Amino acid sequence: MLSIKKSFTLQPEDASELVADAFGIHAGWENKILDIELPEELPQITLITGESGCGKSTLLRELGGASEFDLPNKPLCEWANTGEESLRLLSSVGLNDASLFCLRYESLSDSQQARARMYSVLVSKKKVVMIDEFLSTLDRETAKALAFSFQKLIRKENLKLVAVTAQHDLAEFLRPNLLVVGKSFPSRWEVTSPVYSTENPFSPPALELKTFKDIVT
C-alpha cells in the first residue's frame, strides 16, 4: 500500500490570537490534510472527489501533479502527426463534424473544448493522465455524457486516468475502479472499489410489460 501523510502547523499571528483562542486553535496546532492509504499501483481509472478544502488537489500533487497538455494554436486536424490520425482521434472523441476539423481550440464551444482536451490526451501519447477540476466548467448533463465517453476511451486506448473534481455526480458515469472521497474539518478519506452496472446510464428504462388484463382494466 502507498501511505500518504501530509500536515501543516498553524502559527497564529498576534492579531489573530482572539480568533485562535475562540476556536481552540493555538500555535503548534496540527491539522492533518492528508492521511490516506492507496494501492501501490493505481488502477486504470481513479476518481478523487469530496468537499471543498479536504485536500483533493494536494493529493493529486502528491501523486505526481496534473498532466500538462499542449493545445496548439492551429486547426484541430493538424494536432496529430498525420491528418489521418487526427481525423481518427477527433472522431473517437465525438468531434466528427467536418465543419470543426479546421477550427482552432479558441473557436470551439465549452463542450467542444472539453472534447478537444480529450483529443489532446490521445495525441500526447501519455499513458498516465492526471486531470484536476475534471469537466468542472460544463453543465452537469454535458459533464456526465463526456465522463461516460471518456472512460470508454481511456479503457479502449489502455491508458490510466486520475481525475479530481468537487462534483459528486460523476462516479456513475466515469465508473472508476478506485473511488477516493474526502471530507473536510476534520479531514478524512474513504477509499472504495465500487462496482457499477454494465448498462448504459443514458439508455431509456425498459418499458414495463403489461398483461392483457392490465391493459383492459
Side-chain angles (χ1 to χ4, degrees):
M1 298 293 286
L2 176 63
S3 179
I4 301 176
K5 295 186 179 183
K6 191 175 181 65
S7 62
F8 67 89
T9 302
L10 179 69
Q11 299 289 345
E13 301 288 340
D14 291 342
S16 68
E17 285 185 358
L18 179 62
V19 175
D21 288 340
F23 288 94
I25 300 172
H26 302 281
W29 174 68
E30 186 179 67
N31 175 30
K32 286 187 171 62
I33 58 173
L34 279 182
D35 189 351
I36 185 172
E37 287 193 348
L38 298 175
E40 192 71 36
E41 182 174 346
L42 293 178
Q44 190 159 28
I45 297 181
T46 299
L47 176 61
I48 301 171
T49 186
E51 299 173 345
S52 178
C54 68
K56 299 184 297 295
S57 295
T58 302
L59 176 55
L60 185 65
R61 286 195 294 272
E62 291 295 309
L63 293 174
S67 303
E68 295 184 4
F69 301 104
D70 182 25
L71 300 174
N73 184 27
K74 55 186 179 182
L76 298 178
C77 62
E78 297 178 9
W79 285 20
N81 292 328
T82 67
E84 291 78 7
E85 183 183 14
S86 290
L87 297 182
R88 179 180 67 82
L89 297 180
L90 282 166
S91 295
S92 72
V93 299
L95 291 173
N96 49 2
D97 189 326
S99 64
L100 301 175
F101 293 163
C102 295
L103 293 182
R104 298 171 189 265
Y105 178 80
E106 61 271 16
S107 300
L108 305 174
S109 68
D110 286 350
S111 63
Q112 289 168 346
Q113 286 184 346
R115 291 182 183 276
R117 290 193 292 273
M118 293 163 56
Y119 167 48
S120 73
V121 168
L122 301 179
V123 170
S124 74
K125 307 295 186 184
K126 294 185 181 199
K127 291 299 183 183
V128 180
V129 183
M130 299 192 179
I131 304 177
D132 203 356
E133 300 294 342
F134 181 66
L135 301 178
S136 61
T137 63
L138 302 180
D139 67 84
R140 301 321 307 148
E141 293 309 307
T142 301
K144 292 173 184 177
L146 285 181
F148 187 67
S149 297
F150 199 34
Q151 61 87 18
K152 292 197 295 184
L153 195 56
I154 288 292
R155 291 184 164 99
K156 178 181 177 182
E157 298 292 331
N158 198 28
L159 306 178
K160 275 192 176 183
L161 171 68
V162 179
V164 174
T165 178
Q167 306 296 335
H168 302 281
D169 56 359
L170 289 185
E172 177 186 355
F173 303 92
L174 191 63
R175 299 186 172 182
N177 306 99
L178 190 71
L179 178 61
V180 183
V181 180
K183 304 285 185 180
S184 54
F185 308 115
S187 177
R188 58 194 186 279
W189 296 87
E190 295 178 1
V191 181
T192 59
S193 298
V195 177
Y196 298 95
S197 167
T198 58
E199 295 181 359
N200 186 330
F202 297 100
S203 297
L207 294 177
E208 182 181 356
L209 295 179
K210 296 180 179 294
T211 65
F212 179 75
K213 181 179 179 181
D214 293 328
I215 295 172
V216 299
T217 56

